[in-house]
Amino acid sequence: MTSRRFRLIAPPTTPFHSDGALNLDAVEPMAQLLLDTSVDGVFVAGSTGEGQSLSTDERMKSAERWIEVAAGTDLEVIVQVGHNSLTDAVALAAHAQRIGADSIAASSPCYFKPARVEELIDFLAPVAAAAPDIPFYFYEIPPLTQVALPMVEFLTKAKPQMPNLVGLKYSNIDLMQMQQCVRMNDGEFEVLFGSDQQLLAAVALGACGAVGSTYNFAAPLYRSMLAAFDRGDHATARELQAKSVEIVAIMARYSFLSACKTLLTELGIENGSVRAPLRNLTSEQRDELLADLHEAGVFELQKELDCQSVEPSPADAS
Amino acid sequence: MTSRRFRLIAPPTTPFHSDGALNLDAVEPMAQLLLDTSVDGVFVAGSTGEGQSLSTDERMKSAERWIEVAAGTDLEVIVQVGHNSLTDAVALAAHAQRIGADSIAASSPCYFKPARVEELIDFLAPVAAAAPDIPFYFYEIPPLTQVALPMVEFLTKAKPQMPNLVGLKYSNIDLMQMQQCVRMNDGEFEVLFGSDQQLLAAVALGACGAVGSTYNFAAPLYRSMLAAFDRGDHATARELQAKSVEIVAIMARYSFLSACKTLLTELGIENGSVRAPLRNLTSEQRDELLADLHEAGVFELQKELDCQSVEPSPADAS
Amino acid sequence: MTSRRFRLIAPPTTPFHSDGALNLDAVEPMAQLLLDTSVDGVFVAGSTGEGQSLSTDERMKSAERWIEVAAGTDLEVIVQVGHNSLTDAVALAAHAQRIGADSIAASSPCYFKPARVEELIDFLAPVAAAAPDIPFYFYEIPPLTQVALPMVEFLTKAKPQMPNLVGLKYSNIDLMQMQQCVRMNDGEFEVLFGSDQQLLAAVALGACGAVGSTYNFAAPLYRSMLAAFDRGDHATARELQAKSVEIVAIMARYSFLSACKTLLTELGIENGSVRAPLRNLTSEQRDELLADLHEAGVFELQKELDCQSVEPSPADAS
Amino acid sequence: MTSRRFRLIAPPTTPFHSDGALNLDAVEPMAQLLLDTSVDGVFVAGSTGEGQSLSTDERMKSAERWIEVAAGTDLEVIVQVGHNSLTDAVALAAHAQRIGADSIAASSPCYFKPARVEELIDFLAPVAAAAPDIPFYFYEIPPLTQVALPMVEFLTKAKPQMPNLVGLKYSNIDLMQMQQCVRMNDGEFEVLFGSDQQLLAAVALGACGAVGSTYNFAAPLYRSMLAAFDRGDHATARELQAKSVEIVAIMARYSFLSACKTLLTELGIENGSVRAPLRNLTSEQRDELLADLHEAGVFELQKELDCQSVEPSPADAS
């Protein structure tokens, strides 16, 4: 399709000990799983990483550990620094550059919500300026921030004030706007798509990369899908995307992020609980979830895929 | 891609005389334009047709004229019968079957909003039963009805009570749910996708047809796009979809349906105004719109396309 | 408090026969109940009357019957003519004036939603002009129409184009805006408040009347509350308002309008079912509802109240 | 009305120096203004105080200064400790108790939003437990958090797990629910109402106190209003509430919190700017705002009011 490899970036979970403290020992095996499954990078302290539920100190420690572990590997490290407090967001950005992050991203504040693009830029410009030597992505995620400003206008007006702005982490299912962003100025901006279960759609429309929670454990599925699409085998690509939908639907039936941590723990990376206000699965729900995920073949998706072997289960009425 | 031809269905506008009365003389030239541009059918009294702004009598007259004009052609006629009043919706459904419609569709009532799938079915079942010999589509359009119920659950629970239910007219950009509906029971249900500017995404994910306002005047663009996609020429398909985005963005800058009628009038089909509460363009806006549309090449899209000739204009910050 | 009597207006339900047809025989006993309980008028085909679920013909017949029955009594008749179709709304307005309605009201269309005050006025002006000799109220009800435009701006801009505009039927809990409307031009506009369970608040802030479903069966409760407030007995006023809250909370636990019809049937006015998409109570729910309403003393509220006798039950965690 | 004095609590702004750092010198004159104007307490780091825009360290320093300044006065100090991160919220709560706060309050997290009452309690219980010796209020503010859970259910289920829960800071205009909360268990819970421009309504319905931004500079207006209401002079109470509406409408025409800081600076308490993403007034807007506020008589509201002297300006079409 394109000469450049499609970037698949995983937003790692943040494992906790049973007392709720950070479990940084889990970072190394997590990184190994990602490297083993063809993931290109990590998006640290995103939504999947419960970034907004961590203290600033916890976020810094987590970023430091990821950068240590990624050093000498091919894993790119993007540190997400969005925060309701500009003071914290700026501190996180400066820290990320200092410790060697490859780039940073920041979501909009969500208590006081920018009502216009200019207000969003007023918030983000000092954040980007605190890490001036590395690229900055705006993390657009309206379902969580309840902020949905027009992105073409944002990119146009922000770029002159934020020279290191390189694109969007786009967790938004408006694919008309996505196309507009992808095409601006002959592709000046990168759009990293955030909805795994619709990735094929975004690829058809020109996205160049993706960040999504299921790339933590199922990247080979998507690599196969991308390859099928590139060779024009649309039927296979569609089948593989349907498998992704099936997995996401199972996990969404439970508490999604708790399901994610439960699955990773089952894969050998001790994740512990999610932090409130997210809800943890009961042990019964955990057993049911794992049974469902086994039946869906999720535990086969960490190795090289033989495309023929993946066949979605019949859709169920979730 | 598939052996069956992808169905492109246009939702015709409802032309009015200057006194606000229906102008049924415009139906014949409208049908001719659609036939000349490879459109497979019409979706009468949908949103583009301002169906909900018409009286029940006007809707019946409009449906009658479309069926007369389509007789003996290949145009399929779907009559949209959604209404806040069940009495009217049932009357429209019975009338549609009586006059020879190929199928009917109905949207959810939107003043009193069904809160659960069961309530939606309670409303729709008598409507479908009033036209028992022809297929029924549920017209899912949350942005206008503010009703967004889970469609897999709807299809599952509705089918036993509505034997003529065949699928969805899906004006919803949730493509995860779309995939689930497309795949239910090995493709039991048709999903006619409703967002022209994202059609390529829906095609990649398995939609079998589409209903959308720009197919009224630009179907050849989409036929070229579908052909490019089928032969694996993703770059061209993407360019053609981008042209669609460009056109939709221009029209959306103005009052969308008024822009649509203005364009069709310019193409020789006298459309008149839109009815309140929709807003008509001022004459200045009309001139600007037409200039923008000319520059975007919209008036070249009614004939067979030479793919090479379509090149999106640079995206603008709408 | 004021020299003018506070207007309590009931929006009657629309009774149906078991086959779903209008039951106009119920209008006379309904009117008698209202007259017996100090109600000043009726708001025909409002939300409680399932106006939007009726056909235009049914709405006309219902209005005719109410005007016949109210003739020679002190009951004022306001006919609600809101409709998604301007054609129907205009026809209903002209009909209402012709048959002798005291005034009309119309809600915003809700499929196509006016995005600005001007678009709302474009829709409403021809409706008001179709009944030029009687007063017009805008029926502001954002929870159902999803249209929430600024009302001070609306009244200011609409009045010059709608000379018979006299005020609002205000089903909106924004009491800052309500105060602004009440005070415009020294009280030029009437504001009829639409949230029974907060009536005391609106009265404290200057509303001059109210339209609400519980006035169909519990007006004496509110008369007592208004009297207590007027004489400065705030504690009693508050107790009586709390009783209203208790009743509304009970009915809202079930399907509200179905509960309303069930209660009126129990009071001797055969109401039948609600029409889809509203949900009817099961017979078990009906029994529970009636038991709850009996316990709350609702069946004592149709006669002159002895204030001492009304004591709210302990609030429950609905 | 009641024997207990109605509590008026001001949520102070957080003044900044021109470099954006906290200006704690402004706390003392701010406290003096509040004491001079009959305010009973302060709600530190609420929305008006831009609490969520401050770092945890800034919040602690601000709370410390307020408690120092309030020591030996009658000012009650409530410290708002809501945060997206449970870690920070718990730290702020423990700190507040340690430094001598009278009570704490916490809003819901708003990035990850509790979907059920249980999830909200899971988050709040450890926060309340970190300050076990002082009362805890839940700060209910759906317009900012986008979390609107049923409060009767919350109070019922939370109390057993949060023994120091005493009530709500209720920035919600649903006055039916407010009544239910006020009346629970014979008034077990305090409801501090948060919408200044509707305070009279809440008082009529039984609120026992209020927290709101205009009490920072106009408490005597509300004291006069409360007195008028208590003596049954509803017309005067309504006039005074209308003056409050007029002031709020002026400030809302500009950026509300920036207007608030501009006004306080004009009253002699150097406030500086608001922090992004809030928008600061331009100098032109500042001049217009101050002219509007002068005309509305806002600068007369800091002294004892002679009720006769307050007359709302004619309402304008904001």
Side-chain angles (χ1 to χ4, degrees), chain B residues 60-269:
Chain B
M60 289 181 176
K61 287 197 166 59
S62 182
E64 287 165 14
R65 184 62 189 140
W66 271 103
I67 287 167
E68 272 173 28
V69 164
T73 76
D74 286 338
L75 275 185
E76 166 189 356
V77 179
I78 307 175
V79 178
Q80 203 281 119
V81 304
H83 201 286
N84 275 333
S85 166
L86 182 54
T87 312
D88 288 87
V90 164
L92 286 164
H95 172 264
Q97 173 171 313
R98 197 160 59 240
I99 63 175
D102 292 299
S103 56
I104 61 169
S107 53
S108 171
C110 64
Y111 187 81
F112 291 126
K113 295 169 192 68
R116 301 184 311 170
V117 156
E118 284 78 3
E119 294 164 25
L120 178 60
I121 296 172
D122 281 349
F123 184 90
L124 295 178
V127 179
D133 303 333
I134 55 177
F136 178 92
Y137 295 88
F138 173 53
Y139 179 14
E140 156 86 345
I141 183 162
L144 289 176
T145 59
Q146 312 291 327
V147 175
L149 294 167
M151 284 296 103
V152 172
E153 181 186 342
F154 168 74
L155 291 171
T156 306
K157 293 186 174 168
K159 184 68 185 174
Q161 298 183 55
M162 301 168 60
N164 53 338
L165 174 66
V166 297
L168 304 174
K169 193 296 203 192
Y170 190 76
S171 292
N172 182 327
I173 60 170
D174 178 346
L175 298 178
M176 171 164 163
Q177 179 177 253
M178 193 204 75
Q179 290 173 79
Q180 293 176 310
C181 294
V182 163
R183 300 181 68 87
M184 276 181 72
N185 307 338
D186 279 317
E188 175 178 4
F189 297 106
E190 292 172 46
V191 177
L192 303 174
F193 190 63
S195 180
D196 317 17
Q197 61 271 29
Q198 314 187 25
L199 178 58
L200 183 57
V203 168
L205 297 173
C208 65
V211 181
S213 50
T214 64
Y215 313 142
N216 277 305
F217 53 80
L221 172 74
Y222 298 95
R223 288 286 176 213
S224 297
M225 183 184 85
L226 293 164
F229 182 76
D230 274 358
R231 69 176 180 265
D233 179 357
H234 297 142
T236 297
R238 207 175 285 140
E239 289 292 307
L240 292 163
Q241 182 67 81
K243 173 56 72 182
S244 151
V245 165
E246 184 191 350
I247 296 166
V248 169
I250 290 171
M251 295 174 72
R253 273 206 298 273
Y254 301 90
S255 170
F256 191 87
L257 288 182
S258 180
C260 206
K261 283 186 149 177
T262 300
L263 167 55
L264 287 165
T265 297
E266 192 73 6
L267 287 169
I269 301 157

Side-chain angles (χ1 to χ4, degrees), chain D residues 22 24 31-32 46 49 52 72 77 93 108 148 161 172 175 201 233 246 249 252 259 261 268-269 285 289 295 309:
Chain D
L22 282 189
L24 296 177
Q32 195 55 55
Q52 302 271 354
V77 179
S108 171
Q161 297 182 55
N172 182 327
L175 297 179
D233 180 357
E246 183 192 349
K261 284 186 149 178
I269 301 158
Q285 288 174 321
L289 166 73
E295 196 179 328
S309 73

Side-chain angles (χ1 to χ4, degrees), chain D residues 43-65:
Chain D
F43 187 81
V44 177
S47 302
T48 306
E50 298 175 75
Q52 302 271 354
S53 298
L54 305 180
S55 71
T56 293
D57 184 59
E58 288 173 325
R59 288 170 73 165
M60 289 182 176
K61 287 197 168 58
S62 181
E64 287 165 14
R65 185 61 189 142

